[in-house]
Amino acid sequence: MKNSILFLLLLLVNFQLVNAQTPNWVRQSQRNFNYPDSLYLVGFASNINSSDEQINDMLASLSDLAKKDLIESIYVSIQSSSTLQIEETKENISEYYKQSSESLSKADIAGLRIETHYDKKNNTGYAFAFALKSEVINFYKNIISLKLLTIANKISEAKLYLMTSNNQNALKTYAQTLAYFREIENAKFLLFALGKTGSEYHQTDKVNKLYLQVKEEINKIYENEQIILRAKKDEI
């Protein structure tokens, strides 16, 4: 009887040790409970080590896959949204998704955390990527504000060049704003996927106004350059 009790106690201790070492996110039911879709972006990956791959290398690969899985959930969110309204052709929309996808896959999601675990008994590796939606939303909302400020400063800088007839540097400065507009578009893409469509997040009117201003100023510079070239030809 004593031996039976001792055996049961050993089993219980062993079970508790295994439970303590295994993160709760390994089980889908626990991931769903502790990291609900309403609060978190999540990604998960697992694989059995059947080729004697180095554990660290395997977990690094699984971490990348977990991040990709998290990003994929963003695409699913925006593509399934019934409120998506983009006044472009299907070809342009597809290209827009492609460019945004590539940018996001290379970027770090704000507040992204990745945890890994290796089960030596089953030779199985696990990786879990997660980010609190509120942190992601605040980060990309601030990105839009910061990039708009940077663009406005670049426009002011370009105008100073124009005042001294330095059209080349003015054009170069205006061109630098295009990368910032792309960053804004990527941020808007992600915010939309997270259900934030209001103007207080996207600042669409301000973005459009600055973009048109840059476009018009670039066109003016090109027109002026053409006028100067034609005048020189006439002199010859």
Side-chain angles (χ1 to χ4, degrees), residues 7-235:
F7 178 72
L8 289 172
L9 287 173
L10 287 173
L11 281 178
L12 179 62
V13 169
N14 184 60
F15 175 77
Q16 289 175 334
L17 285 173
V18 171
N19 263 3
Q21 294 169 356
T22 303
N24 58 13
W25 50 258
V26 167
R27 294 180 291 279
Q28 183 175 353
S29 59
Q30 290 298 308
R31 290 199 302 275
N32 293 342
F33 179 78
N34 292 307
Y35 302 90
D37 289 342
S38 59
L39 297 176
Y40 288 90
L41 291 170
V42 299
F44 179 77
S46 65
N47 194 28
I48 297 174
N49 192 357
S50 57
S51 59
D52 295 325
E53 183 180 3
Q54 291 291 322
I55 293 176
N56 287 341
D57 293 339
M58 181 185 187
L59 293 178
S61 296
L62 288 173
S63 294
D64 289 338
L65 289 173
K67 180 183 175 182
K68 288 179 181 177
D69 187 47
L70 182 149
I71 292 173
E72 182 63 29
S73 71
I74 297 174
Y75 304 149
V76 171
S77 295
I78 195 164
Q79 288 173 346
S80 64
S81 175
S82 60
T83 58
L84 179 60
Q85 293 180 346
I86 300 179
E87 294 179 357
E88 298 184 60
T89 64
K90 289 183 179 179
E91 183 180 348
N92 288 337
I93 292 173
S94 297
E95 182 63 22
Y96 173 71
Y97 281 140
K98 179 182 176 184
Q99 291 174 352
S100 297
S101 301
E102 290 172 351
S103 298
L104 281 173
S105 63
K106 294 175 184 176
D108 287 327
I109 301 296
L112 176 69
R113 300 173 183 84
I114 300 178
E115 295 182 4
T116 58
H117 173 67
Y118 190 81
D119 186 335
K120 292 182 179 179
K121 183 179 178 181
N122 297 314
N123 289 328
T124 303
Y126 303 90
F128 179 52
F130 61 99
L132 197 59
K133 284 185 176 181
S134 59
E135 290 184 9
V136 178
I137 289 168
N138 286 333
F139 177 82
Y140 285 101
K141 180 184 177 183
N142 290 333
I143 281 289
I144 292 175
S145 295
L146 288 171
K147 296 306 173 183
L148 284 173
L149 181 61
T150 302
I151 290 169
N153 288 336
K154 285 291 180 182
I155 290 173
S156 297
E157 182 183 341
K159 286 181 177 179
L160 289 176
Y161 284 125
L162 289 173
M163 289 174 65
T164 58
S165 299
N166 192 338
N167 288 0
Q168 185 175 356
N169 277 337
L171 187 61
K172 181 179 178 181
T173 303
Y174 279 128
Q176 289 171 354
T177 67
L178 301 180
Y180 301 127
F181 281 114
R182 169 51 58 183
E183 289 184 58
I184 289 173
E185 286 304 307
N186 288 335
K188 288 168 65 177
F189 176 87
L190 199 144
L191 287 170
F192 193 97
L194 295 176
K196 300 302 178 184
T197 60
S199 59
E200 70 271 23
Y201 292 95
H202 293 248
Q203 303 188 58
T204 302
D205 290 343
K206 191 170 184 179
V207 173
N208 290 342
K209 182 178 179 181
L210 288 177
Y211 181 75
L212 288 174
Q213 184 178 352
V214 168
K215 188 176 179 180
E216 288 173 359
E217 291 298 332
I218 289 175
N219 287 337
K220 284 180 183 178
I221 293 174
Y222 279 127
E223 288 173 3
N224 289 336
E225 290 294 324
Q226 290 299 318
I227 291 171
I228 292 172
L229 286 174
R230 284 197 296 271
K232 287 183 177 179
K233 284 183 180 180
D234 291 340
E235 289 177 1

